[in-house]
Amino acid sequence: MSLGGYRSPPAGPTSSSTQPTLVYQSASTAVYRLEDIGIKVLLAENPTEQQVLQLVHEQNVSSYLPPTCQKRHVIDVKGFKGDPAIHFTWVYGSTLAKWLHTARRRADVNITVRLRAAIAIVKTLADFHKAKVVYNNLSPDNIVLDTFDGSYIATFIDLSKAIILSNDTSNGGQVEKNAVEMDLHALGRILNALFDGERFDSNSSADESDDTSTEGEEHSYRRKRNKRQAQVEGFPTCLNAVISTLLLRKEGEETSEKYGNVKDVLSDLQVIATNPQIFLKALKVDDFTLHNRLNAPVDAFYGRQSEVSLLYHAFDSVNKHEGQPMVLSISGSPGTGKTFLVNQIRKPLQEANGYLIRGKFDRRARPDSIIFLALDDFFARLIDERRKNVQDLIQRIRHAVGPGCRVLMNSIPNLHRFMEGHLDDNSDGAVGSSASEHRWKYLLCKLVAAVSSKNEPLAIFFDDLQWADETSLEVIRMIITEPDIKYCLFLCTHRIEDKIPQHRMKTMFQTIQQQGVSVMSIKIGAIAKDTVNTMLSETLCLPPSLCSPLSSTIHNRTGGIILFVMNFLRSLNEDGLLWFNLSTRRWEYDIVGIQQKEVSADVVQHMSQRMTRLPRSMQFGLKLCSCLGASFDVNALRKGGPANEFDVEEFLPFSIESGFLREDGQRRYSWAHDQVQQAAYALIPVGKRESFHLLLGSRMFMRTPAEELTNIIFTVVVNMNHGIGQLKTLAQFHEVARLNLKAGKKAMTLSSFDSAAKYLLVGVSLIKEESWNSEYELSLELHDTVCEALFVIGDWEKLLPNIQEPLQKARCFADKLNTYHTLVRYLKATGDLRGAIEKCKHVVSELGDDFPDQIDEALFREETRRVEQLLKDKSEAELISLPKMTDERKIASMQFLNHALSSAFAAEPMLAPVLTFRMVSLSVECGVCEISATAFAGYGSWLVSAYKSDFEGGYRMGHVAIELKNRLRYEEGIPRIHALVYGFINIWRTPFQASLPKHLEAYDAGNFSGDVEFTLSNLYMHGVNSLYGCGDNLRDVDSTTRVYIQRCKQSGQSFLGKFICVIHEVALKLMGSSEKSYASFYDTTEERMFIDGREQSKISLCRFILFKRKYVAFFLGQMHAAADFFELGLSFPIGGNGRLVNIIVGVFIDGLIAFYYARKRRSDENRWTEIGNGVLSLLEVWAKEGSDWNFSNKLFLLQAECFFLRGDERAALQKYNASIKSAQDHRFIHEEGLAHERLASFHDHYGRRSEALTCFNAAKRCYEHWGAQAVVQRVERTIAKLQR
């Protein structure tokens, strides 16, 4: 038969045999075989009653055992040739004795084959015990092995000594226990024989074949009585533990590591067979085992199957559903393995050819630097791994971020290395800090969007989110809700502790959900006891059953917190309670000593106690590292340690082996867990921490050359700041203040404004009253810089006191300008627009320029006349080539006039044009600066307003603004200038469609420069023009406005977002959708928005909503409602403000409503006719002096309606057709449909049904192309009526 393969056919007598064949004989018995029947005969001449009863006993045991037990089945007890005998069913196979004899001659019978045979034997014995039968006769001659379906079957053939256990428990079950003990000890001898002397080769396989063997072969396999064990070099420790434990089971010999039943032995062998890569590893005696040191895994991951399933499900969901991103929030107590759970994402990521970006927040690190560090590490790994096919990623980044890579270079230096050779050389313009903050947020979103793709999905992991600051949480929210980011799974872990506030994270997750991104939560706790057992079993390479007492004790002492479990295990090894026995070649433990060991309830305290038992030099190294942060490089460690007293090269390997530190590569190191760092920091006595930090920072400062100081400035300053209480002299205060200024300025260049503010505030606190005399420049620069940083992060409470100091103590007004600049921006940001205007007035007056007090009609006319006179003889070329403004005071005046202008639009509308006039006048008289471009654009938008309607003059000023912007390279001004020029001015002279790409260009440029308000205003203008002006497909308008609303929410610009919601609502209504945009995005209603707008005097919002209602009602044929909304709109006049496309289209719609009711309502025909004629006159001027492209089709349609009203049929028909053709030529599909529909009504009025049907069908086709399904349905109903 086969040792390891399928069973062979039985050999022996053929079916024609009629006489039994003797196969085995001893002095007392003989065994015969007749086909499938065996006969065991007693050979004694006068067998005793006891011998006969033994045969009967064997039959009784065979009958007692269930059919599932692999035993020899006794058929009957009856005589054979006059001798007592039992007849039984023949068992095919090979006795274990012969199997072993054959296996010794065949080297390819590997340990896996032997293990399968062992499992079969143990399983049969376990079945006997389950049936309450002790075999009591285990020997290689009494076990027959056969194969079935690739596995072994072990049958026990001699049942003569088997014991059926009774249910009598009067003796406490000791008899039964002793009987089981005998079987267990005998099993140990069998397994020892099975594996003894094994030449282990885990890669070999067996498929041997042998002739069929028969039961009871005459082969005596004898063993020496000693406990010789399979302890050769290379034999698996785990198997050795099973065998040695069984062999030690002698009566009276007690140990905690013992088997109480065969079922546990079977379970252990099955675990070993299932996990050969863990439990069948060859024993290698290395330095760890020789020195009795436990090499416990640092990043062990056990259990959590359901959590891993959720993790994989989330990743799978992201890769489906059109790549919609998802957030997985994982929370739990410290040390529960949150990070290890997230690490399981690596496998599906690798299979999907994806990327992983990971950042870890730390309570002692700069939280606003973590996102940059995560990205920098990501690109460093890409460079080091030399990953293939990164060209697609490079091109995506180049296309999405472009020159922004250079902007991010300081914060993400490895991005520049990764993109080296793939970037253009054009540099970006410098921008202010507040603008810079928005810019890097925008660029981060673009960068992440470029990294993730359908073919290369992305997972971003933010670890220990509880330590993130407000800015970091805001950036994370922006990235997660960025509409362009697809195929990205965001993983966030955060700690649940009473002392850590959770509201900031909860608020962030709620906001993310409100913005349409799914958030799934997983809360993890302690690992189960069986999971601890599995972990210890694999770590110690011991069978699970033998680890059970140890794992149960450890779980009880540590609460199942995995970090605590691993550190407690290490401490047991260090305390001599867990050791490697070189004699038995296995790990052993003192369970009594472990149970008596005192253990701290807190993992940090436990680790600190463990660290106190280390040598003093090692303790010092851990203290030092704890002050260097979550990660550090070897140079920082060398610079901070005492010279010639601290061996870095000895300390680092020891700390890694002890599980305290891990090496990250390139001589950088990080803590295995932040709780380990906390435990190390606890080694420093509280009273000595200040001096320890100060000494460390001072050493690093003194040992670092000045040109290299910037590389470690943060570590130096953080430690010195912890030791400020130890400073004594003013010179020391100034030195540390100067270092904090240096750190703050560097943090600002890295866009880490929160950290910058913290450094700078410390520096300011070190400035004393006398410092303004002895260190004036330092004092002034610190206050200016801290005010800028506090403004950027919006910390108004700390900002105001720091603003007052330089205003009081600066030596001249010029030194106060930076502070006033911050103060005015603060007043604007907090809504005090009039206060901002007053401050600007004060500054401009101090600078020697006039600022108007009261605006009346006379002053307005005088200002208008003056600027017109200045510009009267100036050509465009002359204005564009004006000399640059060089007077610093005039430049400052322009800056503060511009500040006042942005406030005046909302607070004092009459002041706004006057300020524009003043800025234009200063530019003409004193030369141009960057703000001059905005001034000319503002002046141009005033010229095209209803006050002047000077389209030609406005267009000229718009051209001047654009050219000045180009000449002065005023990239920061693009959003504002484009909004004015292409939103208000050029729509009167150039096709509506020409402005669309300019608004998108301004959006990108604005995000790059940081002008948030006007950046998003360009999206609003794009949406208005796209819908009302150009008549773009409504499905496209729907999708783009959704994105625009998301971007407004992302940037906190809810006011503009609600305006764009109105545009989106128009598209939805005309498409026939039942969705409510207001409810979807802002959880409100249109009526609520309108009421709030009226109560808060937000006239523009009310007017915009009323126009939307009028426009929708008009296209849906609800003319009474359209007229009502027209009447309501008269309460919200446009005034002299600039007119966007919707205002132009609104006037056109008003004319159509007016002519309609002039025909329908004879009682008020004159009023409606007057309104219609007034609109017609306006359109005639607009078409003549403005853009024929934009206005001709509208003018023709209004003229047709006017002729229709007058009854001039021929002229009306001509104008209808002219309007249709003009709309076709200029690609206004919505207004082409409108012209067809009005012509159809005209034909129907005169009874020309066929012509009317033709025109209605043409209108329907246009509306279908527009995507206005609700309008299509209305027209279809009209067509159906005509066809009746």
Side-chain angles (χ1 to χ4, degrees):
M1 66 149 288
S2 164
L3 285 174
Y6 193 81
R7 104 180 255 197
S8 304
T14 64
S15 59
S16 60
S17 302
T18 57
Q19 295 298 322
T21 303
L22 179 66
V23 295
Y24 171 78
Q25 183 170 341
S26 67
S28 58
T29 60
V31 176
Y32 295 88
R33 177 182 175 189
L34 178 62
E35 296 184 349
D36 289 338
I37 302 298
I39 305 168
K40 179 180 176 181
V41 183
L42 288 179
L43 297 180
E45 291 183 7
N46 297 301
T48 65
E49 183 181 1
Q50 181 65 32
Q51 288 176 314
V52 175
L53 288 176
Q54 196 171 21
L55 294 178
V56 174
H57 173 72
E58 192 165 351
Q59 181 189 27
N60 291 339
V61 172
S62 175
S63 301
Y64 179 81
L65 288 167
T68 54
C69 279
Q70 297 296 325
K71 83 289 185 182
R72 181 164 64 187
H73 174 59
V74 179
I75 300 171
D76 198 3
V77 178
K78 60 183 179 179
F80 179 77
K81 297 181 180 181
D83 293 320
I86 60 170
H87 295 248
F88 56 86
T89 303
W90 190 260
V91 177
Y92 293 100
S94 174
T95 64
L96 177 60
K98 183 174 181 182
W99 191 94
L100 290 170
H101 181 73
T102 304
R104 283 196 183 89
R105 303 196 309 265
R106 307 182 64 158
D108 54 352
V109 179
N110 70 3
I111 201 167
T112 305
V113 176
R114 294 173 184 266
L115 182 58
R116 294 210 311 266
I119 289 173
I121 294 168
V122 178
K123 183 181 184 306
T124 299
L125 184 60
D127 289 342
F128 269 64
H129 285 201
K130 183 179 180 181
K132 292 188 176 296
V133 175
V134 174
Y135 185 55
N136 197 32
N137 195 18
L138 274 178
S139 72
D141 289 320
N142 290 334
I143 301 170
V144 175
L145 290 175
D146 195 10
T147 55
F148 178 75
D149 209 15
S151 297
Y152 279 100
I153 298 173
T155 304
F156 296 171
I157 57 175
D158 187 351
L159 304 177
S160 61
K161 296 182 180 179
I163 302 171
I164 298 176
L165 301 176
S166 69
N167 294 321
D168 182 12
T169 58
S170 59
N171 61 353
Q174 189 60 44
V175 174
E176 290 79 2
K177 181 180 178 181
N178 292 340
V180 170
E181 293 264 355
M182 289 188 296
D183 264 3
L184 286 169
H185 189 66
L187 179 61
R189 293 197 304 270
I190 291 293
L191 296 181
N192 197 32
L194 189 58
F195 292 104
D196 190 17
E198 174 63 26
R199 291 176 300 187
F200 178 46
D201 178 6
S202 61
N203 295 318
S204 64
S205 61
D207 189 19
E208 306 88 345
S209 60
D210 192 10
D211 294 335
T212 304
S213 304
T214 57
E215 176 181 316
E217 299 145 35
E218 190 173 7
H219 178 76
S220 178
Y221 184 81
R222 309 222 180 267
R223 302 267 312 152
K224 294 183 178 179
R225 303 294 295 175
N226 67 343
K227 296 178 292 183
R228 187 161 60 89
Q229 300 162 25
Q231 295 171 2
V232 296
E233 177 74 21
F235 190 76
T237 303
C238 194
L239 275 176
N240 181 54
V242 173
I243 296 169
S244 62
T245 302
L246 289 169
L247 289 174
L248 287 171
R249 294 304 301 264
K250 282 185 170 181
E251 188 176 351
E253 186 172 355
E254 290 295 328
T255 172
S256 60
E257 302 171 55
K258 62 183 180 180
Y259 284 109
N261 56 69
V262 181
K263 184 176 66 175
D264 287 346
V265 181
L266 176 62
S267 174
D268 284 349
L269 291 179
Q270 288 172 334
V271 168
I272 293 170
T274 305
N275 302 281
Q277 72 281 3
I278 297 173
F279 294 112
L280 290 184
K281 291 186 297 186
L283 171 63
K284 293 182 179 179
V285 181
D286 54 16
D287 286 342
F288 280 94
T289 52
L290 282 174
H291 293 89
N292 190 30
R293 293 203 309 270
L294 179 66
N295 188 16
V298 177
D299 54 354
F301 181 78
Y302 292 91
R304 314 288 191 203
Q305 284 79 10
S306 59
E307 290 89 347
V308 172
S309 296
L310 287 173
L311 178 67
Y312 286 3
H313 172 73
F315 182 69
D316 188 57
S317 298
V318 165
N319 288 330
K320 298 175 181 177
H321 307 117
E322 299 181 350
Q324 290 301 313
M326 178 182 287
V327 178
L328 189 59
S329 168
I330 303 170
S331 60
S333 300
T336 49
K338 301 180 290 294
T339 303
F340 293 156
L341 171 61
V342 173
N343 286 340
Q344 306 313 302
I345 198 66
R346 294 178 183 275
K347 180 180 178 182
L349 259 182
Q350 187 175 9
E351 292 172 351
N353 197 37
Y355 298 107
L356 175 64
I357 298 173
R358 57 184 303 152
K360 181 178 177 65
F361 290 93
D362 181 76
R363 72 177 81 193
R364 294 183 179 86
R366 295 181 296 115
D368 50 2
S369 68
I370 301 302
I371 297 174
F372 289 124
L373 291 174
L375 285 163
D376 195 53
D377 175 68
F378 167 69
F379 286 107
R381 282 187 281 113
L382 282 182
I383 295 169
D384 293 341
E385 292 170 3
R386 301 183 183 277
R387 183 166 172 164
K388 296 180 180 179
N389 303 321
V390 295
Q391 289 303 313
D392 287 345
L393 175 58
I394 289 172
Q395 291 306 315
R396 292 199 302 268
I397 294 175
R398 186 172 184 270
H399 175 75
V401 186
C405 292
R406 301 191 186 281
V407 176
L408 295 172
M409 182 175 64
N410 285 336
S411 302
I412 313 175
N414 282 309
L415 170 62
H416 190 258
R417 286 179 57 209
F418 181 73
M419 297 296 294
E420 196 166 5
H422 298 278
L423 296 175
D424 298 329
D425 291 332
N426 53 319
S427 59
D428 64 292
V431 296
S433 296
S434 56
S436 174
E437 183 193 27
H438 178 81
R439 177 169 69 172
W440 67 256
K441 289 178 181 177
Y442 164 75
L443 290 174
L444 281 180
C445 291
K446 300 287 280 186
L447 179 60
V448 173
V451 172
S452 60
S453 70
K454 185 174 184 178
N455 295 325
E456 296 174 321
L458 175 64
I460 302 182
F461 174 28
F462 298 112
D463 198 3
D464 278 338
L465 200 61
Q466 73 276 357
W467 306 129
D469 61 346
E470 291 284 358
T471 300
S472 299
L473 291 176
E474 175 64 15
V475 175
I476 291 171
R477 182 193 64 79
M478 286 185 67
I479 292 174
I480 291 174
T481 58
E482 167 59 41
D484 287 343
I485 295 178
K486 305 289 185 183
Y487 303 101
C488 185
L489 174 63
F490 296 92
L491 302 159
C492 303
T493 64
H494 55 97
R495 188 173 298 173
I496 298 177
E497 283 185 304
D498 293 338
K499 59 185 177 182
I500 298 177
Q502 305 288 318
H503 68 277
R504 290 191 307 177
M505 287 178 294
K506 288 181 179 178
T507 301
M508 183 191 76
F509 288 133
Q510 288 171 357
T511 305
I512 288 169
Q513 285 181 302
Q514 291 167 2
Q515 295 186 22
V517 178
S518 298
V519 178
M520 185 166 64
S521 298
I522 297 177
K523 185 175 181 179
I524 64 175
I527 56 177
K529 188 176 295 184
D530 59 343
T531 303
V532 173
N533 193 55
T534 300
M535 182 176 70
L536 296 187
S537 174
E538 295 183 4
T539 301
L540 302 175
C541 208
L542 287 177
S545 297
L546 299 185
C547 278
S548 184
L550 176 63
S551 62
S552 179
T553 301
I554 290 179
H555 187 274
N556 292 336
R557 306 302 295 276
T558 63
I561 303 300
I562 191 166
L563 177 66
F564 204 168
V565 169
M566 297 309 295
N567 276 276
F568 186 62
L569 192 63
R570 288 193 181 94
S571 71
L572 295 180
N573 178 228
E574 293 164 359
D575 293 345
L577 296 172
L578 174 67
W579 65 95
F580 188 82
N581 190 326
L582 288 172
S583 298
T584 60
R585 296 175 182 264
R586 52 168 287 197
W587 286 94
E588 298 178 356
Y589 54 88
D590 177 1
I591 192 65
V592 176
I594 293 172
Q595 290 169 345
Q596 294 175 351
K597 178 180 171 64
E598 292 186 5
V599 183
S600 303
D602 176 65
V603 63
V604 174
Q605 186 179 354
H606 170 74
M607 285 189 290
S608 291
Q609 290 174 351
R610 179 183 161 210
M611 291 173 180
T612 58
R613 296 193 291 271
L614 299 175
R616 292 186 62 184
S617 61
M618 298 298 110
Q619 290 187 49
F620 178 81
L622 290 171
K623 295 176 188 177
L624 196 61
C625 292
S626 72
C627 297
L628 293 177
S631 65
F632 51 88
D633 63 28
V634 69
N635 289 328
L637 196 55
R638 288 198 177 100
K639 289 177 180 177
N644 304 321
E645 296 180 21
F646 175 59
D647 189 345
V648 173
E649 299 305 326
E650 178 186 357
F651 165 75
L652 288 172
F654 175 84
S655 297
I656 293 170
E657 290 175 8
S658 300
F660 300 134
L661 299 176
R662 57 160 59 96
E663 186 171 4
D664 299 329
Q666 298 180 342
R667 301 309 305 271
R668 285 199 65 84
Y669 300 85
S670 59
W671 291 95
H673 195 280
D674 63 346
Q675 298 266 289
V676 181
Q677 181 186 6
Q678 189 177 342
Y681 190 70
L683 294 175
I684 308 173
V686 175
K688 295 183 178 181
R689 287 179 183 174
E690 281 192 359
S691 58
F692 192 93
H693 278 291
L694 184 61
L695 184 59
L696 171 59
S698 300
R699 279 195 190 121
M700 296 183 73
F701 175 54
M702 298 299 294
R703 294 174 182 176
T704 304
E707 63 274 11
E708 297 178 11
L709 181 60
T710 187
N711 297 328
I712 61 167
I713 187 65
F714 297 129
T715 305
V716 169
V717 169
V718 165
N719 279 283
M720 283 193 164
N721 288 349
H722 277 299
I724 279 179
Q726 302 294 312
L727 300 179
K728 304 299 181 184
T729 67
L730 188 61
Q732 290 175 334
F733 288 156
H734 290 163
E735 188 64 47
V736 177
R738 191 170 283 104
L739 287 171
N740 273 279
L741 176 60
K742 189 178 185 71
K745 291 170 72 173
K746 180 179 179 181
M748 292 177 74
T749 64
L750 298 176
S751 301
S752 298
F753 295 101
D754 280 273
S755 295
K758 291 173 183 175
Y759 295 133
L760 295 164
L761 284 169
V762 172
V764 166
S765 71
L766 297 172
I767 297 298
K768 308 304 178 185
E769 188 70 28
E770 56 269 36
S771 301
W772 282 95
N773 294 320
S774 60
E775 288 285 352
Y776 175 78
E777 296 296 334
L778 173 64
S779 303
L780 182 63
E781 188 176 6
L782 262 171
H783 279 87
D784 281 348
T785 313
V786 76
C787 287
E788 179 66 23
L790 291 170
F791 173 77
V792 171
I793 65 175
D795 191 339
W796 311 137
E797 184 178 353
K798 293 186 179 71
L799 174 62
L800 286 177
N802 282 286
I803 279 180
Q804 297 304 318
E805 189 82 358
L807 290 181
Q808 296 170 3
K809 296 179 178 176
R811 293 174 178 172
C812 61
F813 190 76
D815 286 349
K816 300 178 182 181
L817 287 177
N818 286 337
T819 305
Y820 274 119
H821 178 66
T822 303
L823 176 58
V824 169
R825 288 185 296 155
Y826 156 74
L827 293 170
K828 289 163 60 178
T830 54
D832 187 1
L833 302 182
R834 295 187 184 277
I837 293 172
E838 286 301 313
K839 289 298 178 186
C840 290
K841 176 181 177 182
H842 169 71
V843 173
V844 171
S845 299
E846 287 288 333
L847 290 169
D849 289 301
D850 292 333
F851 195 102
D853 287 321
Q854 296 292 329
I855 306 297
D856 54 24
E857 191 66 30
L859 177 63
F860 191 87
R861 284 198 301 269
E862 175 59 27
E863 293 288 336
T864 304
R865 184 199 64 76
R866 183 171 180 272
V867 72
E868 287 176 346
Q869 189 65 30
L870 276 173
L871 297 172
K872 180 179 180 181
D873 299 323
K874 295 285 191 301
S875 66
E876 289 182 43
E878 288 175 317
L879 292 174
I880 294 168
S881 60
L882 284 169
K884 287 187 178 181
M885 189 178 290
T886 56
D887 188 331
E888 294 294 334
R889 297 176 71 84
K890 297 300 180 184
I891 294 173
S893 288
M894 288 287 285
Q895 290 172 338
F896 283 91
L897 285 170
N898 193 41
H899 279 312
L901 175 62
S902 62
S903 300
F905 278 121
E908 296 185 31
M910 289 295 292
L911 177 62
V914 174
L915 294 175
T916 302
F917 300 158
R918 292 285 178 93
M919 292 164 66
V920 170
S921 298
L922 270 176
S923 300
V924 174
E925 294 172 340
C926 304
V928 292
C929 61
E930 291 177 339
I931 296 173
S932 301
T934 305
F936 280 105
Y939 183 58
S941 66
W942 180 79
L943 287 175
V944 299
S945 69
Y947 275 122
K948 296 286 287 183
S949 291
D950 181 2
F951 304 139
E952 177 61 27
Y955 186 72
R956 285 179 62 245
M957 291 300 105
H959 181 251
V960 169
I962 295 293
E963 291 302 315
L964 271 178
K965 181 264 296 179
N966 294 336
R967 173 194 161 195
L968 300 172
R969 297 184 179 181
Y970 184 33
E971 304 301 315
E972 190 177 350
I974 289 178
R976 190 175 300 242
I977 294 169
H978 277 216
L980 293 169
V981 173
Y982 298 106
F984 290 102
I985 300 173
N986 283 18
I987 56 174
W988 298 98
R989 292 296 302 272
T990 60
F992 287 153
Q993 293 92 339
S995 291
L996 292 180
K998 295 297 182 180
H999 288 308
L1000 295 181
E1001 178 185 315
Y1003 172 75
D1004 286 334
N1007 277 308
F1008 194 75
S1009 65
D1011 188 345
V1012 182
E1013 180 185 355
F1014 276 89
T1015 293
L1016 295 171
S1017 294
N1018 276 279
L1019 289 187
Y1020 162 64
M1021 292 175 177
H1022 182 275
V1024 166
N1025 195 351
S1026 175
L1027 174 68
Y1028 296 122
C1030 303
D1032 285 348
N1033 186 277
L1034 293 173
R1035 288 181 291 275
D1036 294 335
V1037 174
D1038 171 36
S1039 61
T1040 55
T1041 49
R1042 285 179 192 274
V1043 173
Y1044 294 169
I1045 296 167
Q1046 288 280 45
R1047 296 202 187 286
C1048 289
K1049 289 171 69 70
Q1050 193 181 51
S1051 301
Q1053 297 287 326
S1054 61
F1055 186 64
L1056 274 172
K1058 290 176 181 177
F1059 266 85
I1060 301 176
C1061 256
V1062 177
I1063 301 172
H1064 186 223
E1065 188 75 12
V1066 174
L1068 293 174
K1069 290 286 187 184
L1070 296 179
M1071 290 167 64
S1073 171
S1074 60
E1075 180 186 351
K1076 301 296 182 184
S1077 183
Y1078 313 111
S1080 298
F1081 291 102
Y1082 288 102
D1083 193 26
T1084 187
T1085 63
E1086 184 174 278
E1087 188 61 30
R1088 183 72 263 162
M1089 283 171 55
F1090 183 80
I1091 293 171
D1092 289 346
R1094 189 169 54 191
E1095 290 175 352
Q1096 298 168 17
S1097 300
K1098 295 177 179 177
I1099 305 302
S1100 57
L1101 178 60
C1102 295
R1103 186 169 59 241
F1104 197 59
I1105 291 174
L1106 286 175
F1107 170 67
K1108 168 261 173 184
R1109 292 175 173 177
K1110 177 178 67 178
Y1111 189 83
V1112 171
F1114 178 82
F1115 271 99
L1116 294 183
Q1118 301 163 359
M1119 297 303 291
H1120 289 297
D1124 290 341
F1125 292 132
F1126 164 79
E1127 300 286 4
L1128 282 172
L1130 297 177
S1131 303
F1132 301 92
I1134 299 170
N1137 293 324
R1139 294 172 288 189
L1140 289 173
V1141 169
N1142 64 294
I1143 302 296
I1144 296 171
V1145 173
V1147 171
F1148 166 58
I1149 296 296
D1150 291 345
L1152 293 176
I1153 294 171
F1155 283 127
Y1156 173 87
Y1157 275 102
R1159 293 195 306 273
K1160 300 294 182 181
R1161 296 183 180 178
R1162 296 304 175 181
S1163 61
D1164 55 358
E1165 178 182 351
N1166 290 338
R1167 176 175 178 264
W1168 285 112
T1169 301
E1170 182 179 352
I1171 292 171
N1173 286 333
V1175 172
L1176 181 58
S1177 297
L1178 271 178
L1179 263 294
E1180 286 173 345
V1181 173
W1182 293 354
K1184 178 180 179 182
E1185 299 181 7
S1187 169
D1188 177 74
W1189 180 288
N1190 294 334
F1191 302 125
S1192 60
N1193 71 298
K1194 300 172 180 62
L1195 174 62
F1196 291 145
L1197 188 56
L1198 285 171
Q1199 289 173 334
E1201 292 287 284
C1202 182
F1203 286 128
F1204 185 13
L1205 175 65
R1206 296 175 185 175
D1208 189 338
E1209 189 175 345
R1210 180 178 177 183
L1213 182 60
Q1214 180 185 0
K1215 294 298 182 181
Y1216 279 127
N1217 287 325
S1219 177
I1220 291 169
K1221 185 176 187 307
S1222 178
Q1224 285 176 340
D1225 291 344
H1226 301 153
R1227 304 192 301 279
F1228 299 138
I1229 190 69
H1230 58 320
E1231 290 174 356
E1232 180 189 347
L1234 181 58
H1236 278 298
E1237 186 179 0
R1238 301 312 302 158
L1239 176 56
S1241 298
F1242 169 75
H1243 283 308
D1244 185 45
H1245 177 79
Y1246 286 103
R1248 294 188 287 270
R1249 181 170 297 185
S1250 175
E1251 289 86 344
L1253 283 171
T1254 300
C1255 291
F1256 274 126
N1257 278 303
K1260 175 187 169 184
R1261 287 192 296 273
C1262 290
Y1263 291 145
E1264 285 174 337
H1265 191 272
W1266 188 24
Q1269 191 58 34
V1271 185
V1272 169
Q1273 292 171 356
R1274 175 183 62 77
V1275 174
E1276 285 176 340
R1277 290 193 293 270
T1278 304
I1279 292 172
K1281 288 181 182 179
L1282 280 176
Q1283 290 175 335
R1284 289 173 186 168

